[in-house]
Amino acid sequence: MYEYLKKLSSIYALRMFIDKIRDSKVLGIGTGSTVKYFIDELIRLGMLKDKKVVVSSYATHNYLYKHGIDAYTPINCNYADIYVDGLDEINANLDIIKGRGAALLWEKQLAIRSKLRIYIADYTKVNPEQYLYMKPVPIEVVPNAVYYVIEKLTILGYKPVLRIGKMKDGPIITDNGNFIIDLVYEKIQNAKQVDEEIKKINGVVETGLFPNNLVDYVIVSYPGNIVKVYSRR
Ligand SMILES: O=C[C@H](O)[C@H](O)[C@H](O)COP(=O)(O)O
C-alpha cells in the first residue's frame, strides 16, 4: 500500500540533497519500508561506495549486507554528516513520532549525532494539528523495569501497552535486548516536555518522540505526484 508514494518521497529527497549526500563522508540511514527505497536508489546510483554508512538497526544492516555493503552501527560512529529516515507521524509543529519498527533508540542517537536530519514519508503520516495524536508513542524500556514503568505511565494518565511479538511468544525484543511499551494517549501538545517527563522514569531508555529540534527537513509525497518539503530552516 502507498508503495509508489514511499518511493516518490525517497527519490525526491535524494535528488534534492544529492550534492550534500555525494559529498558526505558519513551517511546515517534509518529503518523501515520507506527508507528502503532511498537505499535502493543510493545503490542504483553507486553512491554508497567510498562512504561510511551508519545504520539505525540490524534490519537495515542486514538489508545493506545483502547488497554487499558492510555498514557501521552507532557504537563506532560518533557523528554523521546526514541522516535520512522514515517516520510514523508528523504534526504541523514538525514534531515526529518514530519507532513502529522498534528501532527508535539508534534512530534517535543518529538524529542527535547528525548535522542534517532529513525525514521521508507519504501523506498518510501527516497530522495537520499542532499536537500529536495519531500514533502511539513507542518507549524502549529495560526488561526488569517494565511493570514499574507501566505503573508510572498509568499514574501519569497514559495507557501503556506492552508490545507483543508476532513471530515470537511474549514481548518483542529490541536490537538492544529491551522491551517496547506503546503509549496510547489523547493528545501530546509539547513533544519535548513529554519526552523529558517519560525519560525521568527509571528504566526508560528512550522514547519515539522526536521533537522538532531533531528535524531539519521532511519530504512528504501526496497522490498526483505531488511532493511537499517542510522545514524549520
Ligand atoms: O522503528 C522504525 C522507524 O521509526 C521507522 O523509520 C518508521 O516506523 C517508518 O517506517 P515505514 O517507512 O516503514 O513506515
Side-chain angles (χ1 to χ4, degrees):
M1 200 160 112
Y2 305 116
E3 292 308 306
Y4 81 99
L5 290 175
K6 293 178 185 180
K7 193 170 177 180
L8 179 62
S9 53
S10 301
I11 290 178
Y12 191 98
L14 183 47
R15 297 275 145 80
M16 183 171 167
F17 293 98
I18 195 149
D19 292 337
K20 282 194 162 59
I21 292 170
R22 198 170 271 135
D23 292 347
S24 66
K25 289 192 171 55
V26 185
L27 177 63
I29 301 184
T31 302
S33 55
T34 311
V35 91
K36 270 188 185 168
Y37 288 106
F38 185 79
I39 297 171
D40 289 346
E41 192 64 359
L42 285 169
I43 293 171
R44 194 182 72 78
L45 298 173
M47 287 178 68
L48 292 181
K49 295 172 194 148
D50 308 324
K51 207 180 277 311
K52 184 169 173 178
V53 179
V54 55
V55 293
S56 74
S57 63
Y58 287 127
T60 301
H61 192 282
N62 188 43
Y63 190 72
L64 287 167
Y65 189 79
K66 282 193 203 156
H67 287 85
I69 297 151
D70 205 5
Y72 291 76
T73 70
I75 193 170
N76 43 23
C77 190
N78 285 352
Y79 83 96
D81 296 303
I82 304 176
Y83 179 54
V84 181
D85 202 355
L87 60 87
D88 298 317
E89 175 177 349
I90 175 160
N91 68 11
N93 204 26
L94 301 195
D95 300 314
I96 283 177
I97 296 176
K98 290 181 53 53
R100 172 208 52 78
L104 61 104
L105 176 58
W106 294 13
E107 290 181 339
K108 203 180 263 190
Q109 288 174 322
L110 292 185
I112 289 168
R113 297 177 197 185
S114 298
K115 291 178 201 144
L116 177 64
R117 286 72 52 106
I118 302 161
Y119 299 87
I120 47 185
D122 64 75
Y123 75 104
T124 62
K125 313 273 185 76
V126 176
N127 154 18
E129 307 295 342
Q130 295 286 336
Y131 49 83
L132 294 161
Y133 78 99
M134 294 197 316
K135 297 283 166 61
V137 176
I139 301 171
E140 181 152 351
V141 177
V142 294
N144 74 7
V146 66
Y147 302 120
Y148 173 80
V149 174
I150 285 175
E151 189 180 316
K152 290 289 175 192
L153 290 169
T154 307
I155 292 167
L156 286 173
Y158 300 109
K159 187 169 175 257
V161 180
L162 181 61
R163 193 183 296 184
I164 301 299
K166 290 217 171 73
M167 301 286 281
K168 170 195 175 294
D169 290 349
I172 68 142
I173 310 291
T174 70
D175 289 354
N176 318 293
N178 294 319
F179 292 170
I180 295 285
I181 291 171
D182 287 308
L183 197 67
V184 180
Y185 57 94
E186 212 169 295
K187 278 180 190 176
I188 291 178
Q189 299 278 7
N190 187 330
K192 194 165 188 291
Q193 197 179 308
V194 172
D195 179 51
E196 286 166 4
E197 173 187 56
I198 292 171
K199 279 195 295 201
K200 279 187 194 147
I201 303 172
N202 180 256
V204 169
V205 179
E206 191 49 272
T207 89
L209 284 168
F210 284 53
N212 65 10
N213 63 307
L214 294 176
V215 179
D216 295 311
Y217 289 92
V218 186
I219 318 292
V220 182
S221 54
Y222 292 78
N225 278 337
I226 295 164
V227 176
K228 291 188 184 168
V229 178
Y230 302 95
S231 175
R232 293 187 310 115
R233 292 194 172 192

